[in-house]
Amino acid sequence: MRTSFAGLRAGLARIGGRGIQRRTPAELAAMHVAGQLVARALAAMSEHAKSGVSTGELDELAEQIIRDGGGVPSFLGYHGFPASICASVNDQVVHGIPSRAQVLADGDLVSLDCGAIVDGWHGDAAVTLEIGVVPASDSALSAACRSALDCGIAAALPGGRLSDISHAVQAACQAAAARDGVDYGIVEDYGGHGIGAEMHMDPFLPNVGAPGKGPRLPVGGVLAVEPMLTAGTTKSDTLDDGWTVVTADGSRAVHWEHTVAITEDGPWVLTERSLQSEH
Ligand code: MG
Ligand code: MG
């Protein structure tokens, strides 16, 4: 197996492996610039995505914004990936290849994952969009995943352990499942990752696990937190294109991600759009 976008387990050290690299304040500021460019690309795509628009158009839009902002799309050419974003529609979980032939329709759920490099530093984030009106169950699924991301981010505190984040993500998914009365599946084998001068760095960050395990969360550490949730199974398959990951049971899937720095003042979400950094 190869390293892939969502911190494929085989490509990264398991929890308890090498620690999390620390960034200086100047390096975190540089990563924030990259993160803001990703945030801008995602915001533009979110505004543009609607019924009748192809995922290929969204890819072109993201690439334009990243290059206009002085960045390089990190996904393009990554292990041969042919585009600047991943666009994963409905039962596609992650790593979907955008194309002009894939036209969004009312009722679709599309996850857009985007990465940019600025001055050698990476940002990585993903959102799930609802095209037109989707079933209430799909909105609830996406909200559950987004709340799991928020809870994972809130656990990115100095002095904690890596699996505190995993546990917070899992607990939030389980709480949402109980609330919604749906047995959501947390996708196995994929998760978050360290990030910095490369997109995927140690450690792998599972989306499930008991708290209190793995390396300490240091001030200056940066992680991509990225829960992937389905309306059914935890199992996935990869399509013949070698990239697109789909749910094994055809159920719908969602994906939310942010790049987060651990600071003395709490989590700093580098890919959260900040008006101060708009030009
Ligand atoms: Mg990632
Ligand atoms: Mg990503």
Side-chain angles (χ1 to χ4, degrees):
M1 288 206 286
R2 66 182 168 206
T3 302
S4 203
F5 287 105
L8 185 61
R9 188 201 306 239
L12 296 169
R14 296 298 300 149
I15 201 166
R18 282 197 294 141
I20 302 168
Q21 290 186 17
R22 303 177 67 141
R23 309 289 170 206
T24 65
E27 289 170 341
L28 290 186
M31 288 193 72
H32 186 243
V33 173
Q36 290 306 296
L37 194 49
V38 170
R40 216 180 303 157
L42 284 171
M45 287 191 286
S46 300
E47 211 163 291
H48 195 66
K50 54 181 179 292
S51 179
V53 171
S54 72
T55 56
E57 289 169 67
L58 299 178
D59 177 53
E60 289 162 24
L61 177 62
E63 177 169 6
Q64 192 66 54
I65 287 169
I66 290 168
R67 294 200 189 278
D68 286 351
V72 174
S74 50
F75 292 9
L76 189 61
Y78 184 83
H79 292 268
F81 191 75
S84 296
I85 63 164
C86 297
S88 306
V89 181
N90 296 336
D91 68 329
Q92 299 176 353
V93 184
V94 287
H95 307 165
I97 301 171
S99 81
R100 283 269 176 178
Q102 185 183 48
V103 177
L104 296 170
D106 200 49
D108 280 345
L109 271 183
V110 59
S111 299
L112 302 175
D113 194 348
C114 182
I117 314 166
V118 181
D119 294 333
W121 295 101
H122 284 253
D124 183 11
V127 298
T128 295
L129 305 178
E130 300 170 13
I131 305 302
V133 179
V134 304
S137 55
D138 286 348
S139 289
L141 172 67
S142 187
C145 189
R146 191 173 189 173
S147 77
L149 171 61
D150 290 342
C151 290
I153 290 169
L157 299 172
R161 298 260 189 196
L162 185 68
S163 80
D164 295 351
I165 300 173
S166 311
H167 184 70
V169 167
Q170 180 181 12
C173 291
Q174 289 169 337
R179 188 179 58 237
D180 298 342
V182 180
D183 202 8
Y184 294 137
I186 301 172
V187 179
E188 289 177 9
D189 296 332
Y190 297 88
H193 48 92
I195 180 168
E198 295 170 51
M199 176 160 58
H200 290 132
M201 306 182 72
D202 287 334
F204 176 74
L205 171 56
N207 285 319
V208 295
K213 299 187 189 309
R216 289 254 178 228
L217 301 177
V219 168
V222 186
L223 295 165
V225 182
E226 48 180 316
M228 286 146 265
L229 204 59
T230 83
T233 186
T234 63
K235 306 285 185 198
S236 62
D237 297 313
T238 304
L239 297 185
D240 288 343
D241 64 19
W243 285 103
T244 311
V245 177
V246 297
T247 57
D249 62 357
S251 61
R252 288 194 162 191
V254 293
H255 177 211
W256 286 87
E257 177 180 23
H258 269 308
T259 297
V260 184
I262 299 154
T263 81
E264 276 163 355
D265 300 325
W268 182 17
V269 184
L270 302 177
T271 45
E272 187 167 68
R273 207 170 175 204
S274 133
L275 292 177
Q276 284 90 335
S277 51
E278 297 289 320
H279 300 295

